[in-house]
Amino acid sequence: MDSHLPHTPKTDHRRRARLILFCLLLGSTTADAGTLGEAIDSALDLEGQRARVGALRDEGEATRRQAESLVASDPGLRVKHLSDQATANNGAYEWEAMVELPLWMPGQRTARQAVAAALGEQAETLTGLLRWEMAGRVREAVWNARLTQGRADQAAQALANARALATTVDKRLAAGDLARVDALVAHQAVLDREAEHQSARMEADEALARYRHLTGQTTLPDDSDEAVPPDLSDQLPPDHPLMREADSAVGVARRQRDQARSERTGHPVLSLGTTVTRDARGADQNTALQLELSIPFGLASQSAPSIAAAERVYTEQASERQSLLRQAEAELIAAHLGRRGAAESLAIAERRQEAAREAFALVRRAFELGEADLTTLLRAEDSAREANVALELRRLEQGRARARLNQALGVIPQ
């Protein structure tokens, strides 16, 4: 199989072709994405990430129901039987049946209810986090597809220009104005542009196929060119999905630590039941109601491991939150710098493209007048083509920079 072949250009092309074919088939059975938010929803559905939210909600609901129970833990039935059959055999016996009911100590029920509420809040913040994370992946896939499509469009334009030039050279060759070698050079340039266009088209198809594989949608969303919020700040917003989820995780760990502390003394056990006794064969049977209360001592040495474990989890979550905060701040700084750099690169690319365009126009005019040779014209054409490609990519990178900045700010498309 191809999976066992060495990494060669041939096998890379096979893998690309399989990916593109798969996603083209996928695209024939799925609906188009009208918005970026719809593409994110579709990607979340394909990956099944929302099941994590449901599982967390179920855990919170189960904890809430447990806290609302009349007993602190699972009740039990205790049965005891005594008889002198194996000794004196006088017919004496005793039956005892007790129902054991673990009771809540003050503060224990409240602690578990707080854990349930914290789990419910974490489920809500996890919903936002999963959507934000998927938004980042979809944004990158969208802009990778748009950038590669921009390269392919520029390559197609360069191919059209090369063919037009070859046609002009052929006419001048027929008129005796140019040599046969000039025609060969012009047609070689056409072949070079065809190879570049084929490679660019393949990259664009692969990028679109990856987007389709991620989202299940056939076309790019209409609103992928995002706007940056007007109240732009260098600080993370307080409702950033990453930090909200981190805060809720710390909150759950804190509540679970409080629960471990509240249950360090265990649960008292109330036992209710009856005792049936008979002193000898033929004697009357006596029935009595029995009530017992068992209160644990709550030794610190016995509860210390569970409390220490809960404290460790809380400390780890607090440390993780600080680490995520630093990471998010660094990504926001990088996004601001990336947007500024993209704007500066665009200004340079515009000046370069203008200069290359004017130079190419002059050389082309000189070539038409017979004052410049074909080699000079092709060099000027290459310079103009590279400048055009660079300008188009710099323009597209403005949109990607805005998308990355929105991602760093925690903006989630709806």
Side-chain angles (χ1 to χ4, degrees):
M1 296 176 62
D2 288 344
S3 59
H4 300 295
L5 294 175
H7 290 284
T8 63
K10 186 175 182 180
T11 57
D12 288 341
H13 283 304
R14 288 178 180 175
R15 291 191 180 95
R16 284 184 174 184
R18 284 201 301 267
L19 176 62
I20 293 171
L21 178 60
F22 169 76
C23 291
L24 288 176
L25 293 174
L26 176 67
S28 64
T29 60
T30 54
D32 293 347
T35 66
L36 190 59
E38 292 173 358
I40 295 170
D41 287 335
S42 179
L44 284 171
D45 291 338
L46 285 176
E47 293 208 349
Q49 291 291 326
R50 289 173 176 167
R52 294 172 54 190
V53 178
L56 194 56
R57 285 200 180 105
D58 291 343
E59 181 182 357
E61 179 62 20
T63 304
R64 183 191 62 79
R65 291 197 303 269
Q66 183 189 44
E68 292 176 351
S69 175
L70 295 177
V71 293
S73 62
D74 197 19
L77 175 63
R78 177 163 56 87
V79 178
K80 177 182 176 182
H81 174 61
L82 298 175
S83 174
D84 66 346
Q85 184 176 4
T87 55
N89 196 21
N90 292 325
Y93 63 80
E94 178 181 337
W95 281 97
E96 178 181 297
M98 305 287 291
V99 176
E100 298 179 339
L101 302 174
L103 303 179
W104 295 104
M105 289 287 283
Q108 290 180 345
R109 186 197 296 267
T110 303
R112 292 200 185 187
Q113 290 173 340
V115 171
L119 288 171
E121 181 181 350
Q122 188 178 26
E124 297 303 319
T125 58
L126 180 60
T127 300
L129 176 67
L130 293 177
R131 188 175 177 82
W132 174 74
E133 290 176 342
M134 185 57 71
R137 295 174 59 187
V138 172
R139 280 167 166 147
E140 288 298 319
V142 166
W143 283 103
N144 188 36
R146 291 193 62 177
L147 283 165
T148 54
Q149 182 60 50
R151 294 189 186 97
D153 292 342
Q154 290 299 312
Q157 184 60 48
L159 175 59
N161 293 340
R163 286 172 175 169
L165 179 59
T167 300
T168 301
V169 171
D170 288 340
K171 290 180 180 178
R172 293 186 61 178
L173 174 63
D177 294 338
L178 294 176
R180 176 63 179 170
V181 66
D182 291 328
L184 293 175
V185 170
H187 284 282
Q188 180 61 47
V190 172
L191 293 175
D192 291 341
R193 299 294 86 78
E194 286 179 349
E196 292 174 358
H197 178 256
Q198 191 275 339
S199 178
R201 184 69 268 162
M202 191 70 177
E203 290 182 359
D205 289 342
E206 181 181 2
L208 183 57
R210 292 189 181 281
Y211 169 78
R212 290 174 175 175
H213 184 263
L214 175 64
T215 65
Q217 305 295 335
T218 59
T219 58
L220 299 179
D222 298 331
D223 59 345
S224 57
D225 199 356
E226 305 175 48
V228 176
D231 53 342
L232 191 61
S233 173
D234 293 338
Q235 303 294 325
L236 285 177
D239 58 345
H240 193 287
L242 182 63
M243 301 317 302
R244 285 190 62 203
E245 203 282 333
D247 288 337
S248 66
V250 172
V252 170
R254 183 187 299 112
R255 298 305 184 186
Q256 290 174 339
R257 180 192 63 180
D258 295 341
Q259 177 187 344
R261 290 175 175 175
S262 69
E263 297 181 356
R264 65 183 180 274
T265 57
H267 302 290
V269 177
L270 175 65
S271 299
L272 299 173
T274 59
T275 301
V276 179
T277 62
R278 188 178 69 178
D279 295 334
R281 189 176 292 107
D284 293 336
Q285 180 177 280
N286 298 315
T287 303
L289 178 64
Q290 187 168 346
L291 175 66
E292 293 183 4
L293 181 62
S294 174
I295 301 177
F297 288 110
L299 296 178
S301 59
Q302 299 302 312
S303 60
S306 60
I307 294 177
E311 187 69 41
R312 174 185 58 79
V313 172
Y314 172 73
T315 303
E316 289 175 351
Q317 290 294 340
S319 299
E320 178 68 14
R321 182 200 179 280
Q322 185 63 23
S323 177
L324 290 175
L325 176 61
R326 298 283 294 173
Q327 175 185 342
E329 289 175 342
E331 290 177 355
L332 180 58
I333 293 173
H336 276 293
L337 294 176
R339 187 189 183 199
R340 185 186 309 166
E344 294 173 354
S345 297
L346 176 61
I348 296 174
E350 288 174 342
R351 294 196 299 269
R352 178 189 173 194
Q353 190 268 350
E354 180 64 21
R357 184 185 63 80
E358 292 180 0
F360 176 65
L362 292 175
V363 173
R364 186 180 183 88
R365 180 60 178 167
F367 174 75
E368 293 172 350
L369 296 175
E371 298 175 357
D373 58 18
L374 182 59
T375 301
T376 303
L377 177 62
L378 291 176
R379 283 200 299 266
E381 191 270 341
D382 283 341
S383 179
R385 175 177 54 84
E386 292 174 359
N388 287 334
V389 171
L391 179 58
E392 177 64 19
L393 295 183
R394 298 299 86 78
R395 285 172 176 168
L396 289 172
E397 285 172 357
Q398 302 301 305
R400 183 173 66 177
R402 289 192 297 269
R404 287 178 172 175
L405 181 55
N406 281 341
Q407 180 69 18
L409 288 169
V411 177
I412 305 177
Q414 300 301 319

